[in-house]
Amino acid sequence: LSVGVWDDKSALTAWPKFGVQIGAAAIAIYFGFRIDHITDPLSHQPWTMPLWLSWIVTTLWIVGVTNAVNLIDGLDGLATGVSAIIGTTLTIICWQVDQRLGVLFGAALVGGLLGFLPFNFSPARIFLGDTGALFIGYMLSLLALEAYAKIALLTFVVPLLALALPLMDTGLSILRRLLRRRGVFSADKQHIHHRLLEAGRSQRAAVLSLYFLTACFCVIALAFT
C-alpha cells in the first residue's frame, strides 16, 4: 500500500516497486501463504516442492498478480469490477473448501470494491491509482493462495482460471514488448482494453465486455471445484 502511495505521488521506477513487492511477498510466505505442491491431474497424487522452489514460485505468483491488476487499470471501473468478480469467485471457492479466513477477507475485499465501483465507473469521480490497484492485486493473490490450499483436483488451475484476464493481458504485454525489443516495463496502448476502444467500443461497452469475459472464466473455475 505504501509503495502505491509513493508511486502515485512521485512516479517511481519499476525496480524500487518490485523490491518492495518482493518484500511484501516474503512476509506473506513467512506467514504460510505458499505454493508448496502440484497435483497430478491423472493420478491425483501431489508432488511436494522443495522449500527454495516454493519460495520462488510463490513470490512470482504474488508479484505477478499484484502487477497484473495494476496493468488492467486503464479504463474507468475496469480493474475494480474485474477484481470484484474474481474476488467473489475466490471467496466462494474458499467457502467450498472451508477456508473461513479466506471467506472473511474475501467478503471484506469484495464489499469494499462494490462500494467503490459506483464512484469509479465511467465517468469516474474517484480513481484507484497505483495505491488501490497494487493493494487489490496483492489481496487477490493471497486470496487465491487460500483457495488453493485445500483444492486437490488440478491444484492451481482453478485460481489461474479465475485470474485469467489480468494474467493473460500481462503475459501478452510482456511477449509483445520482447518481440518488439522494447523494455518489459515500458508503457504502450496495446492492452486488451485499448484494442476494444480501437475497434469502436465505447469505454462503458469495453469495460462491460471484459466484465463478461472475466465472469465466463470464473464460472469455468467454479465448475472445476
Side-chain angles (χ1 to χ4, degrees), residues 2-3 6 15-25:
S2 60
V3 73
W6 192 3
W15 290 113
K17 287 194 288 186
F18 272 112
V20 175
Q21 291 167 10
I22 290 170

Side-chain angles (χ1 to χ4, degrees), residues 31-48:
F31 284 101
F33 292 91
R34 188 178 301 161
I35 301 170
D36 56 8
H37 66 278
I38 297 175
T39 302
D40 185 334
L42 298 178
S43 67
H44 295 179
Q45 293 298 314
W47 175 72
T48 302

Side-chain angles (χ1 to χ4, degrees), residues 4 11 23 33 39-40 48 72 80 82 115 118 120 124 172 179 181 185 191:
F33 292 91
T39 302
D40 185 334
T48 302
I72 65 166
T80 304
V82 166
N120 186 234
L172 289 173
L179 290 175
R181 297 183 179 180
F185 306 123
H191 293 281

